[in-house]
Amino acid sequence: MLTTFTPFGPMHAATAGVFAVSMAVASVLGRRWRGTAREVAFRRVWAWSIVVWQIGAVAYWARPSGFDLASSLPLQLCDVAVWIAPFALMTQKRWLRAVLYFWAIGLSTQAFFTPVLAEGPAHPKFWLFWVGHTQIVGSAIYDVAALGFRPRLRDFVHGMIANAAYFALVMPLNLAFGLNYGFVGNVTPEHRTLIDSLGPWPLRLVWIFLLVHTIMLALWLVWPLSERIARAGWAARVRGEDSH
């Protein structure tokens, strides 16, 4: 059990649950400390811990004894998103926060449900996978729950631009070397993911595009719609009070 990870089993549920609770606790603390020096210090420690951890992760994957062109380059979407996270949290630049929001909550959460992982807790890959994805998703949730980020239409546009830039980066490499970075190459993943249900390549690229941007659109729309519903409810209460 310590050497092998089986998706959809008890270890999967327990691991995802532990990291989900850690993200929730961090967000609650950040929200409670919002606007204080304590929150800034907490966020700074979190951001620097991501940087240190990811430097170690890059070094681990680049070591000669374990280097594999198909998996060792830091070019998966999550590998890019995890470097956006600390800069988004510390600089609070809106376009960075927007890309983090859509990539983390819209895409990187997939790793919690269908983890592409075979190694158990006795192997470094287990911790690199789970800690790394928690750093991505946890940072985005923290930005929403503790720092109050709410996506606007232009943020959705920034997310689309980031998607196009990422695709333009990895697709030539995928085609030239038979790789599958971003899961958009003509390669079947070793472990089953949602992408396996989207049909053969290259037609599945169309479905990936539509699915990704539908998810992102929903992640933007949920906020203006919820605000409209809240305003409608408030107006109804006011009218009810006036009628009395």
Side-chain angles (χ1 to χ4, degrees):
M1 186 174 65
L2 293 178
T3 58
T4 304
F5 179 85
T6 303
F8 315 116
M11 181 183 293
H12 180 183
T15 304
V18 168
F19 283 107
V21 169
S22 69
M23 290 186 282
V25 170
S27 296
V28 169
L29 291 176
R31 186 175 181 86
R32 181 179 301 172
W33 297 333
R34 185 176 178 179
T36 68
R38 178 176 290 181
E39 188 282 322
V40 174
F42 180 72
R43 182 160 30 108
R44 183 176 291 119
V45 170
W46 172 254
W48 276 108
S49 71
I50 295 175
V51 172
V52 172
W53 182 270
Q54 291 305 319
I55 290 174
V58 170
Y60 175 84
W61 289 110
R63 74 196 194 284
S65 61
F67 183 82
D68 182 356
L69 185 63
S71 59
S72 295
L73 299 179
L75 292 178
Q76 292 290 10
L77 185 78
C78 293
D79 295 326
V80 180
V82 78
W83 284 103
I84 292 175
F87 293 101
L89 289 178
M90 293 311 303
T91 67
Q92 292 289 279
K93 288 186 179 296
R94 186 151 192 106
W95 72 271
L96 288 173
R97 300 172 78 186
V99 174
L100 175 64
Y101 173 81
F102 288 113
W103 281 9
I105 298 177
L107 304 178
S108 295
T109 49
Q110 172 73 11
F112 285 81
F113 300 104
T114 57
V116 183
L117 181 69
E119 294 79 11
H123 200 284
K125 290 183 180 180
F126 176 91
W127 299 104
L128 292 173
F129 180 89
W130 284 106
V131 173
H133 285 91
T134 298
Q135 289 173 337
I136 303 166
V137 178
S139 295
I141 292 175
Y142 186 90
D143 199 25
V144 170
L147 303 180
F149 177 77
R150 299 293 183 269
R152 303 169 187 162
L153 179 57
R154 67 173 181 172
D155 297 319
F156 173 68
V157 174
H158 287 156
M160 294 180 65
I161 293 172
N163 290 345
Y166 175 75
F167 184 83
L169 170 67
V170 300
M171 201 59 191
L173 293 172
N174 286 341
L175 294 177
F177 299 103
L179 306 176
N180 196 29
Y181 287 105
F183 297 99
V184 293
N186 187 15
V187 178
T188 301
E190 181 180 353
H191 304 281
R192 183 170 179 80
T193 67
L194 175 63
I195 293 173
D196 295 322
S197 305
L198 301 181
W201 192 94
L203 181 59
R204 71 167 174 255
L205 295 179
V206 176
W207 297 115
I208 290 173
F209 176 88
L210 293 175
L211 178 62
V212 165
H213 289 91
T214 298
I215 292 172
M216 289 173 54
L217 182 63
L219 286 173
W220 164 61
L221 281 174
V222 68
W223 296 105
L225 288 177
S226 63
E227 290 175 4
R228 181 172 297 182
I229 292 171
R231 286 197 299 268
W234 180 82
R237 287 195 298 271
V238 170
R239 287 194 299 269
E241 293 173 358
D242 291 343
S243 65
H244 293 294

